[in-house]
Amino acid sequence: MKKIKTQVGIIGAGPAGLTLAHWLKRNGISSVILELRSREYVEGRVRAGLLEQNTVDIMNDLGLADRLKKEGIEHDGVNLSFDSERVHIPFAELTGGRKITIYGQQEVVKDMTDAWLDADEELYFEAGASEIVDFDTKNPKIHFKHAGEDGILECDFVAACDGFHGVGRKTMPKDNYRSYDITYPFSWLGILANVAPSTDELIYAYHENGFALHSLRSETVSRLYVQVPNGESPDDWSDDRIWSELSTRLATPGFELKAGPIFDKSITPMRSHMIDNLSSGRLFLAGDAAHIVPPTGGKGLNLAIADVKHLVDGLVSFYKHNSTDDIDNYTQMALRRIWRAQDFSNFMTTLFHKQEEHGSYNYKLQKAKFDYLKMSKASRTTIAENYVGLPFETYEY
């Protein structure tokens, strides 16, 4: 049986696990990463593409932003539409210069993986973690299998960054937390298309046919979404139907949607999930293992990186100052931002998705919120602050 020893055992080689490993290394703390999937699979997963200011700052600080600086597309605003009427939210103007950057999650993963492996650090792909034991002691262990061989990763702490279905969340004692869940009555049909973006900044649109979002991945690849009923399949939507519906839902005076070859279609269920305790003994959860938000607010990846920031604070304090205060407060610090992100994601989701027919009470409330957004700088500032990501010091009270 293969045995490995390190200070922090990390499960999951997504943005959370990789960021944690790099950040710990900068502080002289060793870690080993176990990843269930192959490298090709992990680096090929098309996921989020919106990086908050905090996330970009962290990547810069860790020396992982060389390609991001060259290929990332900065946005200092977003367009919000309701019944073909559009409002622009100028992020930089309303937040003292804070922005977002469009850069695919898979590109973040590639950059961090390359840097980790180029430094001869340990990352085991296709290494399924099957069990986490002794996490209520000072010597937790992760049982895994790699290349047909059983293994044990012995460590001081376990960081489970392995998603909703991972062994980390499943290991948490059920009497240790409360779970909160919302399943929205609609999904997103998302496409990637080989066509230049039709707009310089993202467009969120409410339409009587349903929500639509115009985003992008590069100067030649567009990322777009339409609201569809739960249970829909990508096969239900021809390319012509998709472009026709996008054109209708995104329409405003003077705007013309560019169409092109679609090379990827997928369905994303819209749901929220979180638990109110992110640790048990020396087991800590981060990212999707602890919370899921609907993609409407662009918070998923960024919230995972924020978890890591608080976890790093605790681990550095433990190893460098022999203090457990920060690690004991990990859940408390992380939850402040998680609840804020849950609220903002819910706000954006309920504002821009069709829930009832025009003229209904719920529709009138949606319209009233949008009208207030048009007239109130304070309302626009609230959206801008939340969208670009509130500074970490905001939560240190």
Side-chain angles (χ1 to χ4, degrees), residues 56-69:
V56 172
D57 290 346
I58 288 168
M59 291 183 66
N60 270 309
D61 194 42
L62 293 176
L64 299 169
D66 288 350
R67 193 158 68 95
L68 168 61
K69 292 175 184 176

Side-chain angles (χ1 to χ4, degrees), residues 10-14 16-17 34-36 45 129 132 159-171 283-290:
I10 300 173
I11 308 174
L34 304 176
E35 168 55 49
L36 172 63
R45 283 185 296 198
I132 305 168
C161 309
D162 53 343
F164 180 80
H165 299 288
V167 68
R169 189 184 69 86
K170 294 175 182 177
T171 299
L283 167 63
F284 297 86
L285 307 185
D288 286 0

Side-chain angles (χ1 to χ4, degrees), residues 158 181 245 256 292 346:
V158 176
D181 296 273
E245 201 61 35
E256 182 178 349
I292 295 171
N346 178 265

Side-chain angles (χ1 to χ4, degrees), residues 302-340:
N302 299 290
L303 199 52
I305 301 300
D307 291 347
V308 168
K309 189 270 182 191
H310 298 304
L311 187 53
V312 168
D313 286 347
L315 292 169
V316 170
S317 182
F318 175 85
Y319 283 111
K320 290 194 173 183
H321 307 295
N322 197 31
S323 171
T324 63
D325 289 348
D326 288 340
I327 204 72
D328 290 342
N329 288 328
Y330 167 63
T331 287
Q332 179 184 358
M333 292 301 300
L335 281 180
R336 290 173 181 169
R337 185 176 291 268
I338 293 167
W339 276 119
R340 176 88 302 279

